[in-house]
């Protein structure tokens, strides 16, 4: 290769490096990079003018090859950083989801433990002294003492819809009777002979029915909401 060719390659290489540096600067957000690209391009044109016309194509090819290589390296670096950031975000989300799942599980276990404790303290129907009559407030109080707070809410929803908490409520068409509108009414006799006048006995039977057929008062309430009966 002639001396001028060697000089041409050296000039091209220097120009390519300068130009690529400016291009990478633009990619990184350097506000002065656009001016640098224009300056580098102008310098490259001036330098190439010193190279014989027969060798300019080869010199330009070398410069473009070096420029392409540098651009590829810059793109690879950017892609690597993007992949690392994506991995970091994914790991953070996974940790957050894992923590939320653990907290939800712990909360559920606490609630279940509380329900079990409340159920274990629930009073039996026989522990209440029978009275000649009961107000709605008294009937509700009895029900609260016979079940957990969670069960009571669902039980209350059904009783409110079925009888309005009136333990002597009677359906004139079917004969369904009492707080939970048992049909036939005589089924409540399995909970106690005083089922007609004792709301505690009716509540005992109602709870047993809901748990046997729907697993719980809340299961019965869920069914009632769909069918308007249970």
């Amino acid at each position: 290769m002639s001396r001028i060719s060697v000089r041409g390659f050296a000039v091209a290489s220097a120009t390519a490096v300068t130009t690529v540096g400016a291009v990478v600067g633009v990619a990184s957000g350097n506000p002065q990079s656009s001016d640098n690209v224009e300056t580098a391009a102008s310098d490259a044109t001036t330098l190439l003018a010193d190279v014989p016309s027969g060798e300019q194509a080869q010199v330009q090819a070398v410069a473009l090859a070096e420029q392409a290589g540098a651009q590829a390296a810059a793109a690879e670096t950017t892609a690597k950083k993007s992949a690392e950031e994506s991995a970091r975000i994914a790991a953070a989300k996974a940790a957050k989801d894992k923590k939320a799942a653990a907290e939800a599980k712990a909360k559920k276990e606490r609630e279940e433990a509380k329900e079990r404790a409340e159920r274990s303290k629930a009073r039996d129907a026989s522990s209440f002294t029978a009275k000649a009559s009961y107000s709605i407030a008294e009937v509700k109080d009895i029900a609260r003492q016979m079940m957990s707070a969670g069960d009571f809410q669902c039980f209350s929803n059904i009783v409110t819809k079925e009888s309005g908490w009136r333990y002597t409520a009677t359906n004139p068409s079917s004969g369904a009777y009492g707080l939970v509108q048992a049909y036939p009414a005589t089924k409540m006799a399995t909970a106690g002979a005083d089922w007609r006048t004792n709301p505690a006995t009716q509540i005992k039977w109602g709870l047993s029915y809901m748990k046997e057929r729907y697993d719980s008062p809340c299961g019965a309430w869920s069914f009632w909401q769909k069918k308007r009966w249970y």
Side-chain angles (χ1 to χ4, degrees):
M1 180 178 290
S2 67
R3 302 176 86 185
I4 189 66
S5 297
V6 172
R7 178 176 179 278
F9 279 112
V11 170
S13 298
T15 302
V17 170
T18 302
T19 304
V20 170
V23 171
V24 172
V26 171
S28 65
N30 187 337
Q32 297 179 347
S33 295
S34 177
D35 293 338
N36 291 341
V37 172
E38 294 178 359
T39 301
S42 176
D43 290 345
T45 301
T46 301
L47 289 171
L48 283 173
D50 295 334
V51 181
S53 60
E55 298 178 1
Q56 286 187 11
Q58 188 174 6
V59 171
Q60 288 176 332
V62 172
L64 290 174
E66 292 187 9
Q67 182 178 355
Q71 288 177 331
E76 183 178 357
T77 299
T78 300
K80 184 178 180 180
K81 289 182 178 179
S82 178
E84 290 174 348
E85 180 63 11
S86 296
R88 185 191 67 77
I89 293 174
K93 184 178 184 302
K96 183 178 180 181
D97 291 344
K98 185 176 180 180
K99 180 181 179 182
E103 291 176 346
K105 181 180 179 181
K107 181 180 179 181
K108 182 179 180 181
E109 290 176 347
R110 289 194 299 270
E111 291 175 345
E112 290 176 345
K114 183 179 179 181
E115 283 283 306
R116 288 193 296 270
E118 290 179 347
R119 286 171 182 165
S120 67
K121 294 188 297 183
R123 294 177 61 181
D124 184 77
S126 61
S127 67
F128 295 93
T129 302
K131 297 174 57 177
S133 63
Y134 302 81
S135 67
I136 288 178
E138 289 174 325
V139 175
K140 286 184 177 181
D141 186 55
I142 290 172
R144 286 192 183 92
Q145 296 181 63
M146 291 181 66
M147 62 191 81
S148 68
D151 284 346
F152 174 77
Q153 186 57 61
C154 295
F155 185 88
S156 178
N157 290 340
I158 292 176
V159 173
T160 298
K161 297 289 185 180
E162 292 289 329
S163 65
W165 284 95
R166 293 177 293 111
Y167 64 96
T168 57
T170 304
N171 186 310
S173 299
S174 66
Y177 182 83
L179 294 171
V180 295
Q181 288 293 280
Y183 177 78
T186 53
K187 289 196 297 185
M188 290 190 288
T190 57
D194 58 351
W195 58 269
R196 292 181 181 83
T197 59
N198 192 337
T201 299
Q202 294 182 13
I203 293 168
K204 178 181 179 181
W205 183 88
L207 276 175
S208 177
Y209 170 79
M210 293 176 191
K211 290 179 179 179
E212 180 180 347
R213 186 161 183 173
Y214 302 102
D215 294 326
S216 68
C218 289
W221 172 236
S222 180
F223 184 89
W224 194 100
Q225 289 176 289
K226 297 174 183 177
K227 303 292 187 178
R228 292 296 184 271
W229 59 273
Y230 74 110

